[in-house]
Amino acid sequence: KQINVALVGNPNSGKTSLFNQASGSNERTGNYSGVTISPHESLVTINGYSINIIDLPGTYSLSAYSPEEAFVRRYIIDKQPDVVINIVDASNLERNLYLTTQLIDMDIKVVMALNMYDELTAKGDQLNIVQLGELLGIPIVPTVASKGKGIKELFEHVIQIHEEQEPTYRHIHIHYGDDLEKSLHNLQDLIWHDKHITDKVSSRLLAVQLLEKDKGAEAFLSHFPKFTGIKSKAEQENATLEKQFQEDSASLVSEARYGFIAGALKETFLKKADLQ
């Protein structure tokens, strides 16, 4: 049984340390034609499973503004790894969870490695990991990758989620507010008409990216017959939102993501100062 696992996280989140701990000395460089970015790969055996670990470049988002962002997004869409491990820096939750919300929109299996967890506890802060996992629909495992802590448990959850035996995992939608949600549904209705599109990519992900004016999403959709109608509808929805809110539609999506993150952390995270 082989499981393909991609590591996705912000730069300096400890992703490479986690990869090194998991891979031992089995590291090799992945060869992908047409790109200068070369992820590292390792094939390891854990609990009887052959796990191919792919360490993707560090990225703050999947918005495809940089070569790293574009590569990571294209890899997940094209290669469709069985499970993504999202490495999150526990000492900088709000910024790191932005990438998590984008992975949720991709409708893929994700396990979170809450890395550098010792730094969070050393500061005296408290995080209800179980509750945050339930809100995100993602199993969360505290890790200290530099010391090898939590790595075994992390991959046990990878196996469980792959075998669909992970109780925490459920697909959720990031709620973008009633007005954006209306536009998203209007775009999804058009995208759903072409089953060849949704065989490859979540209709909701594409709808969100169209509101973000994402050139990568447009390039992907341009290969399908209904592209002209979808693009025209996206321009119409963006114009309506921008007139209503007097703000760029991409900014509205970004603000809604951060609003979702703030709401989740308000329910689950307490700084030391708030505990006193």
Side-chain angles (χ1 to χ4, degrees), residues 27-179:
E27 179 183 334
R28 64 187 186 282
T29 301
N31 182 25
Y32 298 91
S33 61
V35 297
T36 55
I37 299 165
S38 299
H40 292 112
E41 296 186 16
S42 178
L43 193 63
V44 299
T45 301
I46 300 173
N47 294 357
Y49 288 80
S50 180
I51 299 181
N52 188 41
I53 308 169
I54 305 100
D55 182 19
L56 296 176
T59 179
Y60 292 109
S61 84
L62 300 176
S63 300
Y65 292 127
S66 72
E68 289 78 15
E69 289 173 351
F71 180 86
V72 172
R73 187 168 85 180
R74 195 167 80 231
Y75 184 95
I76 295 172
I77 290 171
D78 291 348
K79 303 293 183 181
Q80 296 188 327
D82 299 308
V83 182
V84 166
I85 293 178
N86 176 209
I87 297 89
V88 166
D89 176 359
S91 65
N92 201 340
L93 284 170
E94 185 175 17
R95 186 181 72 181
N96 279 243
L97 287 174
Y98 190 87
L99 178 60
T100 308
T101 63
Q102 292 181 311
L103 292 170
I104 288 170
D105 275 337
M106 295 187 87
D107 193 10
I108 55 178
K109 291 179 177 177
V110 178
V111 177
M112 183 189 295
L114 188 64
N115 200 32
M116 297 185 260
Y117 186 67
D118 54 341
E119 293 185 19
L120 184 148
T121 54
K123 285 192 278 186
D125 298 340
Q126 288 184 9
L127 177 68
N128 188 328
I129 293 172
V130 173
Q131 188 182 3
L132 181 61
E134 289 172 350
L135 287 172
L136 298 176
I138 294 172
I140 301 176
V141 182
T143 60
V144 184
S146 60
K147 299 176 182 176
K149 292 183 178 179
I151 307 298
K152 182 175 180 289
E153 293 82 358
L154 179 67
F155 280 92
E156 286 172 352
H157 281 276
V158 166
I159 292 168
Q160 286 177 352
I161 201 169
H162 177 65
E163 296 294 347
E164 300 185 347
Q165 296 173 349
E166 172 56 61
T168 306
Y169 175 71
R170 64 189 178 93
H171 179 59
I172 68 159
H173 286 320
I174 306 300
H175 193 272
Y176 290 95
D178 292 343
D179 297 293

Side-chain angles (χ1 to χ4, degrees), residues 255-271:
E255 288 169 9
R257 287 189 192 280
Y258 278 117
F260 173 85
I261 293 165
L265 291 179
K266 186 177 181 180
E267 291 190 42
T268 59
F269 180 64
L270 284 172
K271 288 186 175 291

